[in-house]
Amino acid sequence: MMQLFDREDNALNLAVIGATGGIGHSLIQQLAGMPAIGHIYAYSRTPSATLCKIAHLSQMSLDYRHESSIAEAAAALADVRLDAIIVATGVLHGQQFKPEKSIRNLQPDSFDEVFLLNTLGPMLIAKHFLPYMNKSRRTVFTALSARVGSISDNRLGGWYSYRASKAALNMMLKCLAIESRMRYPDLIVAGLHPGTVNTALSQPFQKNVPAEKLFTAAQSAQHLLTVINNLQSDDSGKVFAWDGQEILA
């Protein structure tokens, strides 16, 4: 089977949600140089001056705290048919909260915020954007997950909201993969673990990360695109790390 990005006819249309984040921005920059890419639809709350320089790219407004914003962004695609959707968003901490070290730190407001952005947001993207997927050939829907969302791999505890939100995302991606088999038989749904990346999300927690395991956004994006390119039908519903290894639930 031909790999997704191996085409040379500038025919693929892609959507990247979270275009101004570290990983999302790097994904777009690397995708823009691929011969297979026809057009990139870049979604974020605010536009990027750097991305404006890419000719075959449209920057679109989307705030997935609000389903109406997602629905409007999807509807604006009109007759466009997408070959891949990459949801490159996520939250680990904010101005008012950080990962819980203990159950004593668990707060309903921050828990809801983490689940909204890490779990519900990507699935609302799927809800509204999947009708615009290309049904005539293989397509891919991916969302950034995390190794710490693996229940079987949890040996340290803590980070209750973040771990739970990614575990829930993985389950919802699995459900989506099963449901979509009838309507979108050539669609592959997968979660992606980008590794520890030197972005705002991980900066407060990089102290004990070995230098060789701390990726730049560009390095992580390159790894993730390789994983996406190698996805096969049997991989739908699974979660993969940056090195292509499956992460078990």
Side-chain angles (χ1 to χ4, degrees):
M1 179 184 292
M2 178 182 290
Q3 293 176 305
L4 185 66
F5 301 132
D6 287 350
R7 303 175 64 99
E8 296 182 355
D9 54 3
N10 299 103
L12 300 181
N13 294 319
L14 279 79
V16 178
I17 291 85
T20 56
I23 295 176
H25 194 272
S26 291
L27 284 167
I28 290 172
Q29 289 181 313
Q30 295 183 36
L31 286 166
M34 293 183 178
I37 306 304
H39 202 84
I40 301 171
Y41 296 87
Y43 294 89
S44 59
R45 284 184 290 176
T46 56
S48 162
T50 304
L51 297 182
C52 287
K53 301 176 183 178
I54 300 175
H56 53 293
L57 179 142
S58 299
Q59 294 200 69
M60 319 284 280
S61 176
L62 186 152
D63 182 353
Y64 75 21
R65 292 172 182 269
H66 306 287
E67 184 176 8
S68 60
S69 175
I70 298 172
E72 290 171 7
L77 289 169
D79 295 327
V80 172
R81 288 298 173 263
L82 299 171
D83 297 285
I85 298 173
I86 305 174
V87 183
T89 58
V91 64
L92 174 57
H93 58 90
Q95 293 183 345
Q96 305 299 324
F97 67 92
K98 54 187 177 181
E100 308 93 348
K101 293 183 178 179
S102 166
I103 192 67
R104 296 188 299 272
N105 304 128
L106 194 62
Q107 298 293 331
D109 289 346
S110 58
F111 185 90
D112 289 347
E113 175 83 353
V114 171
F115 263 75
L116 171 63
L117 297 177
N118 288 349
T119 311
L120 182 59
M123 301 314 296
L124 289 176
I125 294 292
K127 173 183 175 180
H128 291 283
F129 275 73
L130 285 191
Y132 297 92
M133 297 296 282
N134 193 335
K135 292 185 178 181
S136 65
R137 60 191 183 204
R138 175 179 160 213
T139 54
V140 174
F141 179 92
T142 61
L144 294 190
S145 187
R147 186 179 297 278
V148 297
S150 168
I151 295 174
S152 61
D153 193 53
N154 183 0
R155 296 175 176 82
L156 297 176
W159 290 26
Y160 284 85
S161 299
Y162 187 71
R163 286 183 184 274
S165 70
K166 293 300 187 179
L169 172 63
N170 296 346
M171 176 59 80
M172 295 184 82
L173 290 172
K174 178 66 174 182
C175 290
L176 180 64
I178 294 171
E179 179 184 351
S180 62
R181 287 173 185 165
M182 293 297 294
R183 293 182 62 196
Y184 308 95
D186 295 319
L187 173 66
I188 301 170
V189 178
L192 303 173
H193 168 55
T196 303
V197 186
N198 188 15
T199 62
L201 183 144
S202 68
Q203 280 178 351
F205 313 100
Q206 295 176 5
K207 182 178 179 181
N208 297 318
V209 179
E212 69 275 10
K213 292 187 177 181
L214 180 62
F215 300 145
T216 65
Q219 288 173 321
S220 178
Q222 183 178 27
H223 291 315
L224 294 178
L225 290 176
T226 298
V227 175
I228 293 172
N229 197 34
N230 290 327
L231 288 173
Q232 302 298 322
S233 298
D234 290 345
D235 296 326
S236 194
K238 299 177 182 179
V239 181
F240 296 92
W242 59 271
D243 59 359
Q245 297 299 307
E246 182 181 355
I247 296 175
L248 301 179

